[in-house]
Amino acid sequence: MTPPRQRRTGRGTSGAPRQALSRKGAVRRAQAVTTYGVGSLVAFEQESFIVSGLDGADASWSDAEAPKLYEHRLARTLGVRHFRLPPGSNDRSTDGMRVRRFPLWHSCPGCEKLQPISRFNPPARKASCQDCAKDLVPSRFVIACENGHLDDFPYWKWLHRDNRPEDTTGGCGGTLMLRTTGRTASLRSIVVSCTCGTVEEVSMEGAFGGQALRDLKIRCEGRRPWLKDAPAEPSCTAAPRTLQRGASSVWQPVLKSALSIPPWSDGSTDPLADIWEDLRECETEREIARLLNVKFDHNPPLSAAQVVELLIAEKQDDPDPDSEAAELPDAKYQVLLRQEYMKLSEGSPERADRREQFVCEPPEDGHGPDLDPFGIDRPMLVKRLREVRALKAFTRIVQADAAPDKDGAPLSLHPLTWLPAMEVSGEGVFLRLDNARLDAWARLDAVQRRVARMSGRHDDALVKAAPKGSAPRRSPGTPRMVLLHTLAHILINEWSLDAGYPAAALRERLYADATMAGFLIYTATSDSAGSLGGLVAQGEPKTLQASLESALHRACWCSADPLCIESGPSGTYGANLAACHACLMLPETSCETNNILLDRALLVGTPERPQLGFFHKVAALEA
């Protein structure tokens, strides 16, 4: 957040902010993308704020504190030129992310008044009541809609529900009061009244009902308080919902990520980020050379011939326009994953200049015959990798994975050529299953029926959660996806014990469709836990064999059995079967699907049907 002005000293004021704005708190850079991004609510001490949009951020974010990040494939997929790391929030920061006070309605615990903060006449940059000098309390409740709009809770309309003309607020001449009876811990104990005397006091009970506000003819006003000077969108037809100010459903990020892979991973293409659109319009190599000489004063970082090769490689990232998959909202992102899958399978050796940010090599011992019973092709050791995670948009109420890719509340009022992002550098292990063996197992009727139970419930939940008028996403649950996902989870748990990494420091990246059957487990943090070097060692054939045997042995039994292995649909959306916190669940930073579509019975089978498990023969030997 924006740091405070520092006192002038004989050493100068190099640490002072560019504008006279007070500092309200601090968040880490990663949190500014994943937890407290644009449009989210953040509380500091007894005050509440909303993180402002990115309009004007180019001027307030200095290049030194908010450097540009480049990841060409992801930038092209998201339609931007580059990314920027959010500014830091330490004592040396000269600027930070802007915030605005929200909600505006506050209550005073002394005089019990409930009104917008401006009516309390607080001192400058403070939130206290002028009458009783007590700190004001921001409203615990806000309203939001599926289109991302956010507003203060309409207390006056809630109280004057029976004696107000439609769409009016105020006019009774009274002052709203808020008190807590203390009789219970429920909403019934929060009581709103008015000094006008024309209405009886009303509790907040029932305010969270799905139709509670619509039944009172309270509609969404289309407000976007995180965007400065943004006009309201009164045409919004979505029903507003009451939410707790600190609820997770108030803000959910829409994140997209990509690995840096050749030929974009050595940094040589970064200087071209702002002119790719112009380069694509060039028809000949001579035109490209002319443009490069003009842009870089006859000293371009790459030759025209190299740029032509890059443009050819770029087109390979485009989905086939004649395929049905090209119509899907995330078709470009799926192609991006396929390109990563190919590079992870092929490998990329270390270069002499060490500029390469993607180093992927097979183990020195080769495949290792001991891995044949597991159906695993040659493992790949990713000795160096870089991932960029960008905040594309955000949702409210609607789960981010349920919203179509084109939807989401905007981060700025005006179009931007960049997005906020973070980068992670580390290491990993890439594993790929044998396609023929996997397909034969996936065709088993018992396997298909079991997966259909999970994907069907997931589909139903996505249909209910999708915004009205938009096509819902379909569940990605297939036999190979559930198998790969579950296998990745048990290996992360196993390696967190063997390799010295906490489970939260490891992350999965799944490659599971008709053409892909693998996953990458890599370090997921940007601190020292991402460079210990112990994860790559787990991919050596002998070590990997021991890890697989131990992980599958653990998967045969859960401390919650027999309830776990015999359980029906469980977890979010009811999209899990044999999966619980004692056996498969991971920290949310480690799982890219929010711990859904998991079933260890597909790994090791059940006591009644051991053939369900892809690894049931190996697991039976271990058990």
Side-chain angles (χ1 to χ4, degrees), residues 80-101:
V80 297
R81 295 180 180 178
H82 60 270
F83 305 97
R84 293 195 70 176
L85 190 67
S89 296
N90 53 44
D91 294 338
R92 300 179 182 177
S93 299
T94 59
D95 282 293
M97 297 186 66
R98 301 291 187 255
V99 296
R100 308 179 69 190
R101 191 178 297 280

Side-chain angles (χ1 to χ4, degrees), residues 554-565:
R554 292 176 187 274
C556 290
W557 298 100
C558 171
S559 61
D561 279 342
L563 295 178
C564 179
I565 196 67

Side-chain angles (χ1 to χ4, degrees), residues 54-55 58 79-80 410-419:
L54 298 178
D55 295 293
D58 276 323
V80 297
L411 304 182
S412 62
L413 184 59
H414 305 287
L416 293 174
T417 60
W418 59 275
L419 290 172

Side-chain angles (χ1 to χ4, degrees), residues 287-519:
E287 291 182 12
I288 292 176
R290 186 182 302 114
L291 178 60
L292 291 174
N293 288 329
V294 171
K295 175 67 177 178
F296 297 100
D297 194 19
H298 297 277
N299 187 28
L302 296 174
S303 67
Q306 290 175 310
V307 172
V308 170
E309 293 179 0
L310 290 172
L311 290 173
I312 295 174
E314 186 183 69
K315 291 182 179 179
Q316 297 177 358
D317 291 346
D318 294 330
D320 183 0
D322 299 328
S323 66
E324 296 181 0
E327 301 298 326
L328 298 176
D330 58 349
K332 290 184 178 180
Y333 192 68
Q334 288 301 316
V335 175
L336 183 147
L337 290 177
R338 292 190 190 102
Q339 293 296 321
E340 294 178 6
Y341 182 77
M342 292 175 59
K343 288 297 181 182
L344 288 166
S345 301
E346 296 170 359
S348 177
E350 177 76 70
R351 283 171 37 176
D353 57 9
R354 295 187 62 85
R355 293 177 57 191
E356 181 60 57
Q357 297 172 314
F358 180 81
V359 177
C360 179
E361 299 175 331
E364 294 182 359
D365 297 339
H367 173 274
D370 293 332
L371 294 178
D372 290 336
F374 299 95
I376 291 180
D377 285 345
R378 180 182 63 173
M380 299 296 289
L381 309 182
V382 187
K383 299 179 179 180
R384 189 182 307 157
L385 64 80
R386 172 180 180 262
E387 180 194 25
V388 175
R389 302 176 196 159
L391 175 63
K392 178 180 180 292
F394 63 89
T395 63
R396 304 195 196 278
I397 300 177
V398 179
Q399 291 282 344
D401 60 353
D405 192 57
K406 63 180 180 180
D407 288 347
L411 304 182
S412 62
L413 184 59
H414 305 287
L416 293 174
T417 60
W418 59 275
L419 290 172
M422 58 176 291
E423 63 178 345
V424 174
S425 298
E427 57 177 348
V429 176
F430 174 70
L431 299 180
R432 186 177 52 174
L433 294 184
D434 179 76
N435 262 305
R437 178 175 169 182
L438 185 58
D439 288 339
W441 168 83
R443 287 193 293 266
L444 296 176
D445 290 339
V447 171
Q448 293 185 357
R449 287 196 302 270
R450 192 168 178 94
V451 174
R453 292 175 63 191
M454 294 186 284
S455 60
R457 286 182 172 270
H458 193 201
D459 274 331
D460 293 341
L462 293 179
V463 169
K464 294 178 181 178
K468 293 183 179 179
S470 62
R473 287 182 179 272
R474 296 302 304 272
S475 173
T478 61
R480 69 166 55 195
M481 184 273 176
V482 177
L483 174 67
L484 291 167
H485 189 202
T486 309
L487 179 60
H489 274 231
I490 66 169
L491 276 177
I492 288 177
N493 280 326
E494 184 69 24
W495 287 345
S496 69
L497 299 174
D498 294 343
Y501 289 93
L506 301 179
R507 185 177 175 88
E508 65 181 3
R509 192 166 180 85
L510 301 177
Y511 302 93
D513 66 7
T515 62
M516 301 185 292
F519 59 88

